Amino acid sequence: MAFTDRARIIVSSGKGGDGHVSFRREKFVPAGGPDGGDGGNGGDVIFEVDEGQNTLEDFRHVRKYAAQAGQDGGTRRCSGRNGESIVLKVPEGTVIKDAGSGRVIADMSGERRRYVLLRGGHGGNGNQHYATSTMQAPKYAQSGQPARSIELLLELKVIADVGLVGFPNVGKSTLLSMVSNAKPKIANYHFTTLNPILGVVDLPDAPGFVMADIPGLIEGAAEGVGLGHQFLAHIERTKVLVHVVDAAGSEGRDPVEDIEAINRELAAYSIGLSEKKQIIVANKYDLIPEGDDPVRRIREKYEPLGIRVFAVSAATGDGIRELLYYISGVLASMPHTVMTYDQEFDPETELILTEDDFTVSYDEENKEYFVSGAKVERMLGYTNLNSEKGFLYFQKFLESNGILDALRELGMQEGDTVRIFGHSFEYYE
């Protein structure tokens, strides 16, 4: 299975069921009242962390996900069934973003294991709710609230205490395979020909930690060269960066120049990355030619900056023990928290309903006009029509949203009656 750390999907909540218009029709009840039932609520879109998942691969094959709509109301005050919610399982560390703006909606890590991203539309009221002393046979019901859709960008950012960084082939994978003695706890992530690996480091008499082998970086990674952005994203949550460098220069590169090049990429991608606690591991120490001492040059440059330098050989194990206990001690002095991303986009408040904001109709039998729609209902929910200020706001709302124009086009004239969710008004120019 190919490792996938990014995916774009479209999710939709369920539409609320429409309220029903009906009247009691019983043999010995000649003037039965309204008995239209309410519509059911639409299903929600829910995300949950699945501990058994470690990729977003499944979301590459299916891009659209929708919750079930609520059932319409029925006769005899029967309410429609609620629509079933859809639950999407994602790996821990998945960051959910609004694809259009790139803003964070939810970070599925830390204490957040479940998140309701979109709530389904409320079911509409049946006509049983609109009977009054003057209107005993209302012939209208409330429509269910519409479904809402959003395109999402899912990004998996590995959660680890320590991130191994460095150029390709400097020995990061060898180092991790040697120090991670709990082999079943290592998960392989296939990144084409590169293999990011998450491993658990156990120490007999000190706290263990999780270490991630980030695929080899190249210059230009911060600008997206190769798969640079994907790789760099995985180390954003780490507390400590262990910078592995080929001290022997076995591929013809200078180790000090390598460290500077990688640090430039970290700083270019994120200021936070360059400010993380860093440890330098001068690997392949056993292969350094006689007469050369690159480790001394590295120490002279970086230890005055507070960056500890370890000379090790991942192949032989020399220097590894001291390195691991130092890392454990550094982590023990840090807060035991998982870095999470704050919400920047709330679908509940920022998504615009996709259906018409209002509808107008005319009841020929009762000679009345009707206005309905989610936008109008929301307005009535926070407007006090019994106050002068509230009633003026109500009239301006009808005018500014084109509702009065729509009623006039339908034929409304002065003196006609207009009903809006149980409220009755007479129209005057």
Side-chain angles (χ1 to χ4, degrees):
M1 178 183 293
F3 177 83
T4 305
D5 72 342
R6 292 165 65 91
R8 293 176 78 99
I9 62 173
I10 297 173
V11 297
S12 302
S13 61
K15 176 190 178 300
D18 295 336
H20 189 71
V21 176
S22 60
F23 300 90
R24 294 172 60 190
R25 291 292 182 264
E26 299 175 26
K27 186 174 182 180
F28 300 106
V29 187
D35 69 351
D38 302 339
N41 295 330
D44 302 333
V45 176
I46 303 170
F47 280 83
E48 283 187 354
V49 171
D50 184 349
E51 304 289 350
Q53 289 190 24
N54 53 28
T55 83
L56 296 171
E57 172 69 13
D58 291 345
F59 295 101
R60 291 185 63 190
H61 306 298
V62 180
R63 288 202 64 233
K64 294 185 177 182
Y65 300 85
Q68 190 177 47
Q71 186 182 44
D72 293 343
T75 59
R76 299 183 180 180
R77 301 177 181 264
C78 290
S79 297
R81 291 191 304 272
N82 292 335
E84 291 187 10
S85 297
I86 185 169
V87 180
L88 303 177
K89 302 293 185 70
V90 295
E92 183 176 11
T94 300
V95 179
I96 305 168
K97 297 181 177 181
D98 168 50
S101 65
R103 290 184 290 167
V104 174
I105 296 174
D107 184 350
M108 304 301 292
S109 58
E111 296 182 357
R112 173 167 281 164
R113 320 308 285 176
R114 177 183 172 91
Y115 179 71
V116 180
L117 188 133
L118 288 181
R119 297 195 179 277
H122 288 295
N125 291 329
N127 70 330
Q128 59 174 307
H129 294 278
Y130 300 110
T132 66
S133 58
T134 57
M135 170 56 70
Q136 298 183 10
K139 294 184 178 180
Y140 60 92
Q142 185 183 24
S143 298
Q145 288 184 338
R148 291 185 297 173
S149 297
I150 184 173
E151 185 174 14
L152 303 174
L153 175 62
L154 307 182
E155 293 184 345
L156 177 58
K157 297 176 185 286
V158 170
I159 298 177
D161 301 305
V162 179
L164 297 177
V165 298
F167 274 89
N169 303 318
V170 294
K172 300 193 312 299
S173 297
T174 304
L175 175 63
L176 185 62
S177 65
M178 172 171 283
V179 303
S180 298
N181 49 28
K183 299 301 182 183
K185 296 183 180 179
I186 298 178
N188 287 293
Y189 297 81
H190 303 291
F191 234 131
T192 60
T193 59
L194 304 172
N195 300 308
I197 300 174
L198 200 64
V200 177
V201 178
D202 289 326
L203 298 175
D205 53 357
F209 50 89
V210 178
M211 180 180 284
D213 169 18
I214 308 303
L217 298 178
I218 59 175
E219 291 190 77
E223 284 71 49
V225 174
L227 297 174
H229 272 156
Q230 289 91 322
F231 298 160
L232 286 164
H234 287 301
I235 58 179
E236 286 185 281
R237 297 187 197 267
T238 57
K239 298 176 182 178
V240 175
L241 295 182
V242 173
H243 195 147
V244 183
V245 64
D246 179 358
S250 54
E251 296 198 356
R253 295 194 308 269
D254 179 76
V256 174
E257 292 179 0
D258 275 7
I259 296 170
E260 292 175 347
I262 293 298
N263 281 339
R264 284 195 298 270
E265 296 305 318
L266 297 177
Y269 178 76
S270 165
I271 295 176
L273 291 187
S274 62
E275 294 177 347
K276 287 182 181 291
K277 176 70 176 179
Q278 189 172 142
I279 299 167
I280 294 176
V281 173
N283 191 28
K284 303 184 183 181
Y285 182 71
D286 55 316
L287 301 180
I288 295 176
E290 288 187 18
D292 189 14
D293 193 359
V295 176
R296 178 181 58 81
R297 289 194 293 121
I298 296 172
R299 283 180 171 147
E300 288 177 350
K301 182 175 180 63
Y302 289 100
E303 288 198 337
L305 302 177
I307 300 174
R308 183 74 180 271
V309 179
F310 289 85
V312 308
S313 171
T316 66
D318 290 343
I320 298 297
R321 186 177 186 278
E322 183 185 5
L323 169 66
L324 296 183
Y325 277 90
Y326 179 76
I327 294 173
S328 178
V330 169
L331 291 171
S333 67
M334 294 181 168
H336 296 284
T337 57
V338 175
M339 179 266 193
T340 58
Y341 297 88
D342 295 330
Q343 186 179 51
E344 302 168 333
F345 182 98
D346 185 357
E348 284 297 310
T349 59
E350 299 200 43
L351 278 189
I352 299 173
L353 296 175
T354 56
E355 295 190 3
D356 290 339
D357 290 324
F358 69 88
T359 58
V360 295
S361 59
Y362 181 65
D363 181 355
E364 182 68 38
E365 182 177 344
N366 292 296
K367 309 298 183 184
E368 291 182 332
Y369 291 86
F370 294 94
V371 178
S372 62
K375 186 173 184 177
V376 181
E377 185 181 16
R378 287 197 301 272
M379 181 275 299
L380 288 173
Y382 56 73
T383 304
N384 180 10
L385 298 182
N386 293 321
S387 70
E388 182 179 358
K389 183 178 180 180
F391 196 73
L392 286 173
Y393 172 79
F394 166 70
Q395 294 184 77
K396 290 180 180 178
F397 175 89
L398 297 180
E399 184 70 51
S400 62
N401 285 274
I403 297 173
L404 288 184
D405 288 339
L407 288 168
R408 293 186 188 108
E409 290 178 6
L410 201 60
M412 181 183 68
Q413 297 180 0
E414 189 169 359
D416 285 344
T417 300
V418 179
R419 288 192 176 274
I420 306 177
F421 290 107
H423 299 279
S424 180
F425 307 94
E426 286 191 8
Y427 173 66
Y428 291 98
E429 292 288 352

